[in-house]
Amino acid sequence: MSEEVTIIEPLAGPLCGTATVPGDKSISHRAVLFSAMAEGTSQLQGVLDSQDVRSSMGAVEALGAQVDLVEQPDGSLAGSVTGWGAAGPRQPEEPIDCGNSGTTARLLMGVLAPWPITVELTGDESLTKRPMRRITAPLMKMGVTFKPDGREHLPLQETGTDHLRALTYTMPMASAQLKTAILLAGVYANGTTSITEPAPSRNHTELMLPEYGVTTMAATGSASVKGPAVMKASDVVVPGDPSSAAFLASAAVLCPHSDITIENVSLNPARIGFVRTLERMGADIVEHRLTSEGKEPCGTIQVRGGARLRGCEVPSQHIASLVDEIPVLSLVAAHAQGITVFKDVSELKVKETDRVAAIIEGLSLLGVDAWEEGDDLCIEGQPQLEVPEGLVFDSHGDHRLAMTWALVGLTGSIPVAIKDFACVAVSYPHFLEAMKALA
């Protein structure tokens, strides 16, 4: 991990105007992976050009897909992916490095499940600490072999089977990555593979698989696929990433007299829990649905700054719809009157770093009280919060934390320093430029 320190200077004045955000990371991963699995050539537009998505691109290329995605003037990737289809992926010559991308590693486990090849999956120091047993356990029930047996973390060696068994599975946690891994394996299993989750998670997979010719049933908290199916090439236009939009929106909320419109962003209800939470805090924020990209609702988010903010409680069943935005929402809560409680945030402890501990650590530098009560995160806000001079925040190599602490400097009057700010390249490489363009 880099120890390089970046100084973040305050922006000059409020944020105004229109902005777009990079393509949705979750949809970009799935577009690349599903197209690699499909028969024929898929045309993709708006794909996020980030380290995580490039990990997925490199993985499917190593497995025999042909990826021809090139950078566009707006910084996105567009072009074609020709999949392996019924022939299946080829045996790679060396381990597949998933970098920092948990999505790549976990979804690949489902992608590889139906094929009798042996693949070693590994990743960077952060990824090799993240839990994988939640994915390997149900896939083993379907007939997949993992070695070393019982290991929780990468590196792992996976051997698939062309006699995959369908599975009915009750998920122990709401996780779109777990759900997707099981459903992708189920595409090639004999019979109906179905999952039930304790709370709704991102549903991009259920929306996208029918576009690739897979019969998929979905309802709140459940989904199923009927196999074996042949995936067919599809054309995908990736809308803007709501998780990236949350940082621009939160910045505008914290800057009086701001008025911004974020265009062409996914308005999938499973992804805009942060909008609902900011509304409940009293922020002036509203979304307008304009179009659909495939089955994904898409439109604009308008935010005005200066509203009086108040604390609120975010119930556990809503956490999955804003799990990646909790760091930046915690910063907004630090400026609100009263206490904000995020219920059951245990999943945050197994992200790129322990985000609960990192949030508490960062807010303590601001003089804001934040604490854990069981699995809940509690923050007592200070409406007249004044930022001390000379603060140095540690991103812990986590892109969401790096952007969150950057907002302290960008929206305040005092510069702040951030260790390893470069990790924002994982999801939003041009974050600082986007903020400065609005100032």
Side-chain angles (χ1 to χ4, degrees):
M1 186 185 300
S2 167
E3 283 300 311
E4 184 176 338
V5 173
T6 301
I7 305 298
I8 306 295
E9 300 281 353
L11 296 171
L15 307 181
C16 297
T18 61
T20 57
V21 288
D24 186 272
K25 187 153 74 88
S26 296
I27 299 174
S28 295
H29 278 297
R30 286 160 175 76
V32 170
L33 293 168
F34 296 5
S35 299
M37 298 167 69
E39 197 79 55
T41 299
S42 300
Q43 299 294 328
L44 311 182
Q45 296 179 49
V47 174
L48 172 65
D49 187 3
S50 75
Q51 291 174 356
D52 272 14
V53 175
R54 285 193 177 269
S55 291
S56 285
M57 291 164 58
V60 299
E61 282 186 305
L63 293 165
Q66 183 177 332
V67 179
D68 185 20
L69 296 175
V70 295
E71 187 173 351
Q72 303 300 299
D74 64 359
S76 69
L77 299 174
S80 64
V81 177
T82 301
W84 51 69
R90 70 183 177 207
Q91 175 70 49
E93 298 176 0
E94 51 192 29
I96 289 181
D97 185 353
C98 301
N100 187 247
S101 177
T103 303
T104 303
R106 290 168 173 157
L107 269 57
L108 267 184
M109 291 179 181
V111 171
L112 294 167
W115 306 102
I117 60 174
T118 298
V119 180
E120 182 175 326
L121 300 174
T122 187
D124 69 7
E125 181 184 2
S126 169
L127 186 58
T128 57
K129 295 176 181 175
R130 297 180 68 179
M132 296 295 162
R133 184 73 179 169
R134 58 179 64 180
I135 311 291
T136 62
L139 292 179
M140 288 169 69
K141 293 176 186 288
M142 301 177 79
V144 181
T145 303
F146 290 93
K147 292 183 179 179
D149 186 34
R151 177 184 278 180
E152 174 65 81
H153 304 109
L154 297 181
L156 282 168
Q157 195 178 76
E158 176 176 4
T159 304
T161 174
D162 49 12
H163 298 290
L164 213 57
R165 298 184 290 272
L167 179 69
T168 299
Y169 190 66
T170 300
M171 291 168 42
M173 75 283 292
S175 164
Q177 294 175 358
L178 170 56
K179 172 172 63 176
T180 300
I182 295 171
L183 293 178
L184 291 182
V187 168
Y188 294 90
N190 286 303
T192 299
T193 293
S194 59
I195 62 92
T196 304
E197 50 187 349
S201 64
R202 299 178 183 188
N203 63 344
H204 303 302
T205 296
E206 299 95 301
L207 293 176
M208 291 176 71
L209 278 178
E211 306 281 313
Y212 285 86
V214 179
T215 300
T216 308
M217 301 293 289
T220 301
S222 65
S224 65
V225 293
K226 188 172 183 180
V230 177
M231 292 183 66
K232 300 180 177 65
S234 179
D235 296 343
V236 179
V237 178
V238 180
D241 193 326
S243 295
S244 296
F247 289 93
L248 302 189
S250 297
V253 167
L254 295 175
C255 281
H257 312 297
S258 292
D259 187 350
I260 68 168
T261 300
I262 308 164
E263 299 179 326
N264 189 36
V265 63
S266 168
L267 298 180
N268 186 315
R271 295 294 305 284
I272 57 170
F274 80 90
V275 174
R276 304 282 85 84
T277 300
L278 289 174
E279 284 177 337
R280 294 181 62 207
M281 287 181 169
D284 186 352
I285 181 170
V286 62
E287 80 274 9
H288 300 281
R289 180 170 172 171
L290 301 176
T291 61
S292 291
E293 298 292 3
K295 294 184 177 179
E296 292 281 347
C298 190
T300 65
I301 297 174
Q302 185 175 14
V303 194
R304 294 186 179 94
R308 293 184 63 180
L309 301 172
R310 56 184 178 270
C312 70
E313 181 175 297
V314 183
S316 58
Q317 65 266 30
H318 293 168
I319 293 298
S321 72
L322 49 76
V323 66
D324 284 333
E325 293 77 63
I326 289 175
V328 74
L329 290 173
S330 296
L331 180 61
V332 176
H335 292 263
Q337 180 74 47
I339 294 175
T340 297
V341 181
F342 297 94
K343 305 288 285 185
D344 190 9
V345 295
S346 54
E347 188 66 16
L348 283 187
K349 299 181 179 182
V350 292
K351 289 287 188 178
E352 284 83 341
T353 187
D354 180 344
R355 286 181 179 166
V356 175
I359 289 167
I360 292 171
E361 170 192 272
L363 293 182
S364 72
L365 294 179
L366 293 170
V368 173
D369 286 335
W371 65 95
E372 291 182 74
E373 285 187 4
D375 284 331
D376 302 342
L377 171 63
C378 307
I379 298 159
E380 184 169 7
Q382 298 181 22
Q384 306 303 320
L385 178 62
E386 292 189 9
V387 178
E389 291 194 27
L391 291 187
V392 181
F393 292 97
D394 192 340
S395 75
H396 298 284
D398 187 315
H399 56 127
R400 310 283 185 200
L401 292 169
M403 289 187 283
T404 295
W405 305 133
L407 291 191
V408 176
L410 291 167
T411 65
S413 57
I414 304 288
V416 301
I418 300 176
K419 293 181 183 177
D420 192 15
F421 181 75
C423 64
V424 299
V426 163
S427 64
Y428 202 161
H430 303 295
F431 167 68
L432 279 185
E433 293 92 320
M435 290 293 302
K436 291 172 182 175
L438 288 168

